[in-house]
Amino acid sequence: MSHSATTDQLITAGEPTLQRNRAIDRFMRHKLAVAGIAMIVFLVLVCFVGPYLLPFDDLFIDIRHRFAPPFVSVHVLGTDPLGRDHLARLMMAGRISLTIGFAAMIMAVCLGTVIGAVAGYYGGVIGAVLMRFVDAMLCFPSIFLILAIAAFIHPGVISITIIIALTSWMEVARVVEAQIKSLRERDFAVAAELMGGSDRYIIFRELLPNAIGPIVVAATLNVANAILMESYISFLGYGIQPPTPSWGNMLNNAQQYLQKAPWLAMFPGLAITIAVTSFNFIGDGLRDALDPRLDH
Amino acid sequence: MLKFLIQRSLQNVLLLWVVSMIGFAVLYLAPGGPLAQFALVPGMSQEQLLKIAEQMGLNRPIHEQYWEWFTRLASGDWGHSYRDGQPVLWIIGSHLLATLELMGTSSIIAVIVGVWVGVLGAIKRYSLFDYLATIGAMIALSIPTFWFGLITIYVFSVKLGILPPGNMYTIGNGSFWDYVHHLIAPSLVLGLVTVALWSRYMRSSMLDVINQDYIRTARAKGVPERQVLTRHAMRNALLPMITVAGLQLPTLLSGALVTETIFTWPGMGRLFLDSLSYRDYPVVMGILVLSAVLVLIGNLLADILYAVADPRIRMN
């Protein structure tokens, strides 16, 4: 899924065919990144298709089998204190957590791209003001900022997604600003300007397509961060509220049963770690593939 | 150097001003605004709410309200806690030390381990160790701190019983060793993320240095390899780490909040969460602004230290 998106974006970037293939080659040689993509595809399939294949609903309460340990009964990953199937809940939680991760990333990338592009293209006072705003936002430790806002509002999937996006667009803005600033001095940008292209045309049609590589890398790392942030605030009780499961709030409930049912804490955390690690690996691979200057 | 100092300080004052505006915006522009905590009181009528709004000056223009809030902030009057009426700054101050102790200890561990892993990874580039360290750092950056904390408690407190599951002291025991015993687990958990960052930055910084001409010169002169690596390479590779230390502060503070919650460590992060659950906004806002100010000061200090250590920086 992520892979085809990357390829598409690379093609629209309009770079010479030879170089495009080289980027894909370089990416495919990054074994961990390829493994990351496989892992994400697997997780998405399991979470979005899996629940239809299970004999249990995630809300079905099997009170006689509460606290069933994993790998011994029909409840493959055991059950929780109410006797709900842990695997079914894990899948439904994955839907929420992954969706929030992707949705928050898209919002953050749009916001960061617009602010970064405006700051980089116009520069001067506008650019300085916008970039100081970015700097100031980066001074706030993200969890403090998210929690302070989340406490004010009614927590739901959409509001949590928006809050995460509003506190994680700054890296993208920095990346885009730096790119646009250097690209707009290049000959092709000057030519487009002399030909009478509007600012919007130059930014979106000439400059941004050439900055797509770093944006894609930042976007991938942003998904990892968004999934992590959602799990933090849900774990702390200010994110997704039960009975809607998310990987984070499943761990919130698990803490008090640590002694009696450690598997309740084991699997959701493992799922978060696998998802976040995969996105980080993909981001790393993309960086190596899209930026040939960085040779490490 | 003086010019550099003045320039950086002015930049940071400007940034501080923007930070204060964001803090103000979070409090006043969020749904419900500063009245939110009163609206929840049972039996509160609309008229009473309006009266409170007038008393708090909420019907005045927004820039006047901001200016009043800012001048009070600047003069050290950060308001009083709704919970126990204590001055906000005093409450935060009484919790800040515990946080700094936790962050300090974990940073010391992270720097020692991270620098060592990073340097070794750079020297033995593409070796099995380097490969495992890179993957390990990636995973460490991806593990949710609170989950790692839960596992640590499960393994070392529940199963093995060798480390306390939380708090700063055992009740009735205030000795230094008891304190250290309680500090081990939270500082290791908090150190996990930063150790990964340190090792990665140190590795790439070391790789930058190791290919420089003066390293080749040192080798050509016949300086023993060990000395080349420690005296010539490592000393210079460590310089950019000053900036890294500054940049890590927000991550470290966020991590401290989570770690303190898991291990019931009586620091600023736990105070923040406690205050949130009591809807004690003056304390919440105080910690929010203070944490940003701490990051700002940390970055300024890192900038200045770097300029002192490396004259090339002052030139541009």
Side-chain angles (χ1 to χ4, degrees), chain B residues 29 46 71 76 80-81 89 121 138 155 160 174-175 184 189 207 215 230 237 241 249 262 275 277 283 287 292:
Chain B
L29 303 181
Q46 198 60 39
T71 45
H80 293 262
S81 160
L89 264 186
M138 251 340 188
V155 173
L160 299 176
S175 71
I184 296 173
V189 168
L207 281 177
I215 297 294
T230 50
M241 293 301 108
L249 269 176
I262 299 278
S275 306
S277 63
V283 179
I287 297 178

PDB file of all heavy atoms in Angstrom, chain B residues 29 46 71 76 80-81 89 121 138 155 160 174-175 184 189 207 215 230 237 241 249 262 275 277 283 287 292:
ATOM      1  N   LEU B  29      -8.531  29.959  23.658  1.00  0.00           N
ATOM      2  CA  LEU B  29      -9.244  29.688  22.412  1.00  0.00           C
ATOM      3  C   LEU B  29      -9.799  28.275  22.358  1.00  0.00           C
ATOM      4  O   LEU B  29     -10.590  27.949  21.493  1.00  0.00           O
ATOM      5  CB  LEU B  29      -8.344  29.951  21.196  1.00  0.00           C
ATOM      6  CG  LEU B  29      -7.772  31.370  21.136  1.00  0.00           C
ATOM      7  CD1 LEU B  29      -6.919  31.542  19.893  1.00  0.00           C
ATOM      8  CD2 LEU B  29      -8.876  32.418  21.154  1.00  0.00           C
ATOM      9  N   GLN B  46     -26.374  30.287  34.268  1.00  0.00           N
ATOM     10  CA  GLN B  46     -25.779  31.054  33.192  1.00  0.00           C
ATOM     11  C   GLN B  46     -25.379  32.450  33.675  1.00  0.00           C
ATOM     12  O   GLN B  46     -24.327  32.961  33.304  1.00  0.00           O
ATOM     13  CB  GLN B  46     -26.800  31.149  32.025  1.00  0.00           C
ATOM     14  CG  GLN B  46     -26.199  31.536  30.695  1.00  0.00           C
ATOM     15  CD  GLN B  46     -25.142  30.532  30.238  1.00  0.00           C
ATOM     16  OE1 GLN B  46     -25.297  29.327  30.408  1.00  0.00           O
ATOM     17  NE2 GLN B  46     -24.054  31.034  29.683  1.00  0.00           N
ATOM     18  N   THR B  71       1.960  40.013  31.533  1.00  0.00           N
ATOM     19  CA  THR B  71       2.706  40.794  32.527  1.00  0.00           C
ATOM     20  C   THR B  71       2.711  40.080  33.870  1.00  0.00           C
ATOM     21  O   THR B  71       3.722  40.085  34.581  1.00  0.00           O
ATOM     22  CB  THR B  71       2.104  42.207  32.697  1.00  0.00           C
ATOM     23  OG1 THR B  71       0.685  42.084  32.778  1.00  0.00           O
ATOM     24  CG2 THR B  71       2.493  43.101  31.560  1.00  0.00           C
ATOM     25  N   GLY B  76       6.198  36.831  37.655  1.00  0.00           N
ATOM     26  CA  GLY B  76       6.283  35.668  38.549  1.00  0.00           C
ATOM     27  C   GLY B  76       4.972  35.323  39.230  1.00  0.00           C
ATOM     28  O   GLY B  76       4.918  34.417  40.051  1.00  0.00           O
ATOM     29  N   HIS B  80      -2.954  30.835  41.292  1.00  0.00           N
ATOM     30  CA  HIS B  80      -3.024  29.874  42.399  1.00  0.00           C
ATOM     31  C   HIS B  80      -3.750  28.617  41.961  1.00  0.00           C
ATOM     32  O   HIS B  80      -4.646  28.665  41.122  1.00  0.00           O
ATOM     33  CB  HIS B  80      -3.745  30.505  43.592  1.00  0.00           C
ATOM     34  CG  HIS B  80      -2.977  31.629  44.197  1.00  0.00           C
ATOM     35  ND1 HIS B  80      -2.193  31.492  45.301  1.00  0.00           N
ATOM     36  CD2 HIS B  80      -2.859  32.926  43.808  1.00  0.00           C
ATOM     37  CE1 HIS B  80      -1.618  32.643  45.592  1.00  0.00           C
ATOM     38  NE2 HIS B  80      -2.006  33.533  44.691  1.00  0.00           N
ATOM     39  N   SER B  81      -3.349  27.491  42.542  1.00  0.00           N
ATOM     40  CA  SER B  81      -3.976  26.217  42.213  1.00  0.00           C
ATOM     41  C   SER B  81      -5.429  26.219  42.677  1.00  0.00           C
ATOM     42  O   SER B  81      -5.747  26.727  43.747  1.00  0.00           O
ATOM     43  CB  SER B  81      -3.207  25.091  42.891  1.00  0.00           C
ATOM     44  OG  SER B  81      -4.011  23.951  42.983  1.00  0.00           O
ATOM     45  N   LEU B  89       3.704  28.637  40.901  1.00  0.00           N
ATOM     46  CA  LEU B  89       5.155  28.495  40.765  1.00  0.00           C
ATOM     47  C   LEU B  89       5.743  27.677  41.906  1.00  0.00           C
ATOM     48  O   LEU B  89       6.648  26.875  41.717  1.00  0.00           O
ATOM     49  CB  LEU B  89       5.816  29.879  40.734  1.00  0.00           C
ATOM     50  CG  LEU B  89       6.104  30.453  39.353  1.00  0.00           C
ATOM     51  CD1 LEU B  89       6.893  31.739  39.476  1.00  0.00           C
ATOM     52  CD2 LEU B  89       6.861  29.451  38.485  1.00  0.00           C
ATOM     53  N   GLY B 121      30.048   1.642  16.652  1.00  0.00           N
ATOM     54  CA  GLY B 121      29.340   1.403  15.393  1.00  0.00           C
ATOM     55  C   GLY B 121      30.038   2.085  14.224  1.00  0.00           C
ATOM     56  O   GLY B 121      30.115   1.546  13.118  1.00  0.00           O
ATOM     57  N   MET B 138      16.511   1.720  16.319  1.00  0.00           N
ATOM     58  CA  MET B 138      15.231   1.924  15.641  1.00  0.00           C
ATOM     59  C   MET B 138      14.074   1.408  16.483  1.00  0.00           C
ATOM     60  O   MET B 138      13.057   2.072  16.644  1.00  0.00           O
ATOM     61  CB  MET B 138      15.239   1.118  14.355  1.00  0.00           C
ATOM     62  CG  MET B 138      15.330   1.805  13.048  1.00  0.00           C
ATOM     63  SD  MET B 138      14.920   3.489  12.929  1.00  0.00           S
ATOM     64  CE  MET B 138      15.004   3.580  11.189  1.00  0.00           C
ATOM     65  N   VAL B 155       8.721  -7.567  34.895  1.00  0.00           N
ATOM     66  CA  VAL B 155       9.878  -8.460  35.008  1.00  0.00           C
ATOM     67  C   VAL B 155      10.625  -8.251  36.326  1.00  0.00           C
ATOM     68  O   VAL B 155      10.854  -9.190  37.083  1.00  0.00           O
ATOM     69  CB  VAL B 155      10.839  -8.256  33.814  1.00  0.00           C
ATOM     70  CG1 VAL B 155      12.122  -9.062  34.021  1.00  0.00           C
ATOM     71  CG2 VAL B 155      10.160  -8.658  32.517  1.00  0.00           C
ATOM     72  N   LEU B 160      10.746 -10.947  39.390  1.00  0.00           N
ATOM     73  CA  LEU B 160      12.013 -11.135  40.081  1.00  0.00           C
ATOM     74  C   LEU B 160      12.024 -10.493  41.466  1.00  0.00           C
ATOM     75  O   LEU B 160      12.762 -10.927  42.351  1.00  0.00           O
ATOM     76  CB  LEU B 160      13.163 -10.560  39.236  1.00  0.00           C
ATOM     77  CG  LEU B 160      13.343 -11.196  37.861  1.00  0.00           C
ATOM     78  CD1 LEU B 160      14.431 -10.476  37.082  1.00  0.00           C
ATOM     79  CD2 LEU B 160      13.701 -12.667  37.997  1.00  0.00           C
ATOM     80  N   GLY B 174      14.128   6.669  54.414  1.00  0.00           N
ATOM     81  CA  GLY B 174      14.469   7.832  53.598  1.00  0.00           C
ATOM     82  C   GLY B 174      15.926   7.872  53.233  1.00  0.00           C
ATOM     83  O   GLY B 174      16.469   8.917  52.911  1.00  0.00           O
ATOM     84  N   SER B 175      16.592   6.716  53.253  1.00  0.00           N
ATOM     85  CA  SER B 175      18.032   6.715  53.034  1.00  0.00           C
ATOM     86  C   SER B 175      18.379   6.943  51.573  1.00  0.00           C
ATOM     87  O   SER B 175      17.545   6.763  50.678  1.00  0.00           O
ATOM     88  CB  SER B 175      18.632   5.382  53.494  1.00  0.00           C
ATOM     89  OG  SER B 175      18.235   4.364  52.603  1.00  0.00           O
ATOM     90  N   ILE B 184      16.546   3.506  39.819  1.00  0.00           N
ATOM     91  CA  ILE B 184      17.124   2.675  38.759  1.00  0.00           C
ATOM     92  C   ILE B 184      16.133   2.420  37.617  1.00  0.00           C
ATOM     93  O   ILE B 184      16.391   2.784  36.463  1.00  0.00           O
ATOM     94  CB  ILE B 184      17.614   1.315  39.327  1.00  0.00           C
ATOM     95  CG1 ILE B 184      18.757   1.556  40.314  1.00  0.00           C
ATOM     96  CG2 ILE B 184      18.103   0.399  38.201  1.00  0.00           C
ATOM     97  CD1 ILE B 184      19.187   0.302  41.057  1.00  0.00           C
ATOM     98  N   VAL B 189      14.227   3.232  32.007  1.00  0.00           N
ATOM     99  CA  VAL B 189      13.115   3.293  31.057  1.00  0.00           C
ATOM    100  C   VAL B 189      13.151   4.606  30.278  1.00  0.00           C
ATOM    101  O   VAL B 189      13.024   4.626  29.059  1.00  0.00           O
ATOM    102  CB  VAL B 189      11.766   3.126  31.793  1.00  0.00           C
ATOM    103  CG1 VAL B 189      10.605   3.471  30.882  1.00  0.00           C
ATOM    104  CG2 VAL B 189      11.623   1.710  32.312  1.00  0.00           C
ATOM    105  N   LEU B 207      31.378   9.286  11.984  1.00  0.00           N
ATOM    106  CA  LEU B 207      31.668   8.947  10.592  1.00  0.00           C
ATOM    107  C   LEU B 207      32.115  10.185   9.816  1.00  0.00           C
ATOM    108  O   LEU B 207      32.995  10.117   8.960  1.00  0.00           O
ATOM    109  CB  LEU B 207      30.432   8.323   9.927  1.00  0.00           C
ATOM    110  CG  LEU B 207      30.181   6.853  10.250  1.00  0.00           C
ATOM    111  CD1 LEU B 207      28.896   6.388   9.583  1.00  0.00           C
ATOM    112  CD2 LEU B 207      31.347   5.991   9.816  1.00  0.00           C
ATOM    113  N   ILE B 215      42.594  13.371  10.373  1.00  0.00           N
ATOM    114  CA  ILE B 215      42.665  12.022  10.932  1.00  0.00           C
ATOM    115  C   ILE B 215      43.684  11.213  10.136  1.00  0.00           C
ATOM    116  O   ILE B 215      44.529  10.498  10.688  1.00  0.00           O
ATOM    117  CB  ILE B 215      41.280  11.336  10.875  1.00  0.00           C
ATOM    118  CG1 ILE B 215      40.272  12.099  11.726  1.00  0.00           C
ATOM    119  CG2 ILE B 215      41.373   9.886  11.326  1.00  0.00           C
ATOM    120  CD1 ILE B 215      40.563  12.074  13.200  1.00  0.00           C
ATOM    121  N   THR B 230      40.492   8.276  20.024  1.00  0.00           N
ATOM    122  CA  THR B 230      40.011   8.981  21.214  1.00  0.00           C
ATOM    123  C   THR B 230      40.395  10.450  21.187  1.00  0.00           C
ATOM    124  O   THR B 230      39.539  11.325  21.304  1.00  0.00           O
ATOM    125  CB  THR B 230      40.563   8.329  22.496  1.00  0.00           C
ATOM    126  OG1 THR B 230      41.973   8.176  22.348  1.00  0.00           O
ATOM    127  CG2 THR B 230      39.938   6.971  22.728  1.00  0.00           C
ATOM    128  N   ALA B 237      34.118  14.686  17.354  1.00  0.00           N
ATOM    129  CA  ALA B 237      32.797  14.135  17.061  1.00  0.00           C
ATOM    130  C   ALA B 237      31.809  14.460  18.180  1.00  0.00           C
ATOM    131  O   ALA B 237      30.606  14.531  17.959  1.00  0.00           O
ATOM    132  CB  ALA B 237      32.889  12.626  16.853  1.00  0.00           C
ATOM    133  N   MET B 241      27.350  17.022  19.577  1.00  0.00           N
ATOM    134  CA  MET B 241      26.440  16.370  20.518  1.00  0.00           C
ATOM    135  C   MET B 241      25.849  17.373  21.509  1.00  0.00           C
ATOM    136  O   MET B 241      24.820  17.134  22.108  1.00  0.00           O
ATOM    137  CB  MET B 241      27.160  15.268  21.293  1.00  0.00           C
ATOM    138  CG  MET B 241      27.605  14.076  20.457  1.00  0.00           C
ATOM    139  SD  MET B 241      26.248  13.250  19.637  1.00  0.00           S
ATOM    140  CE  MET B 241      26.572  13.763  17.967  1.00  0.00           C
ATOM    141  N   LEU B 249      15.633  17.792  24.517  1.00  0.00           N
ATOM    142  CA  LEU B 249      14.886  18.192  25.704  1.00  0.00           C
ATOM    143  C   LEU B 249      13.375  17.957  25.616  1.00  0.00           C
ATOM    144  O   LEU B 249      12.794  17.408  26.550  1.00  0.00           O
ATOM    145  CB  LEU B 249      15.170  19.653  26.040  1.00  0.00           C
ATOM    146  CG  LEU B 249      16.340  19.858  26.994  1.00  0.00           C
ATOM    147  CD1 LEU B 249      16.602  21.334  27.186  1.00  0.00           C
ATOM    148  CD2 LEU B 249      16.053  19.207  28.336  1.00  0.00           C
ATOM    149  N   ILE B 262       3.995   6.076  35.251  1.00  0.00           N
ATOM    150  CA  ILE B 262       4.084   4.628  35.440  1.00  0.00           C
ATOM    151  C   ILE B 262       4.690   4.287  36.800  1.00  0.00           C
ATOM    152  O   ILE B 262       4.207   3.423  37.512  1.00  0.00           O
ATOM    153  CB  ILE B 262       4.970   4.005  34.336  1.00  0.00           C
ATOM    154  CG1 ILE B 262       4.386   4.264  32.965  1.00  0.00           C
ATOM    155  CG2 ILE B 262       5.161   2.517  34.567  1.00  0.00           C
ATOM    156  CD1 ILE B 262       3.316   3.318  32.589  1.00  0.00           C
ATOM    157  N   SER B 275      -3.068  17.318  37.889  1.00  0.00           N
ATOM    158  CA  SER B 275      -3.764  18.593  37.755  1.00  0.00           C
ATOM    159  C   SER B 275      -4.801  18.527  36.643  1.00  0.00           C
ATOM    160  O   SER B 275      -5.875  19.111  36.750  1.00  0.00           O
ATOM    161  CB  SER B 275      -2.765  19.711  37.469  1.00  0.00           C
ATOM    162  OG  SER B 275      -1.769  19.721  38.446  1.00  0.00           O
ATOM    163  N   SER B 277      -6.520  15.898  35.757  1.00  0.00           N
ATOM    164  CA  SER B 277      -7.694  15.142  36.180  1.00  0.00           C
ATOM    165  C   SER B 277      -8.525  15.947  37.181  1.00  0.00           C
ATOM    166  O   SER B 277      -9.723  15.732  37.299  1.00  0.00           O
ATOM    167  CB  SER B 277      -7.276  13.794  36.773  1.00  0.00           C
ATOM    168  OG  SER B 277      -6.501  14.005  37.915  1.00  0.00           O
ATOM    169  N   VAL B 283      -2.341  25.326  37.217  1.00  0.00           N
ATOM    170  CA  VAL B 283      -1.143  24.488  37.298  1.00  0.00           C
ATOM    171  C   VAL B 283      -0.830  23.882  35.935  1.00  0.00           C
ATOM    172  O   VAL B 283       0.326  23.862  35.504  1.00  0.00           O
ATOM    173  CB  VAL B 283      -1.324  23.381  38.365  1.00  0.00           C
ATOM    174  CG1 VAL B 283      -0.087  22.498  38.418  1.00  0.00           C
ATOM    175  CG2 VAL B 283      -1.611  23.984  39.716  1.00  0.00           C
ATOM    176  N   ILE B 287       2.647  24.532  33.981  1.00  0.00           N
ATOM    177  CA  ILE B 287       3.618  23.501  33.579  1.00  0.00           C
ATOM    178  C   ILE B 287       3.832  23.532  32.069  1.00  0.00           C
ATOM    179  O   ILE B 287       4.949  23.385  31.583  1.00  0.00           O
ATOM    180  CB  ILE B 287       3.155  22.110  34.047  1.00  0.00           C
ATOM    181  CG1 ILE B 287       3.106  22.068  35.569  1.00  0.00           C
ATOM    182  CG2 ILE B 287       4.088  21.023  33.526  1.00  0.00           C
ATOM    183  CD1 ILE B 287       2.621  20.764  36.136  1.00  0.00           C
ATOM    184  N   ALA B 292       7.963  24.576  28.022  1.00  0.00           N
ATOM    185  CA  ALA B 292       8.456  25.195  26.788  1.00  0.00           C
ATOM    186  C   ALA B 292       9.614  26.142  27.093  1.00  0.00           C
ATOM    187  O   ALA B 292      10.599  26.196  26.349  1.00  0.00           O
ATOM    188  CB  ALA B 292       7.330  25.943  26.087  1.00  0.00           C
TER     189      ALA B 292
END
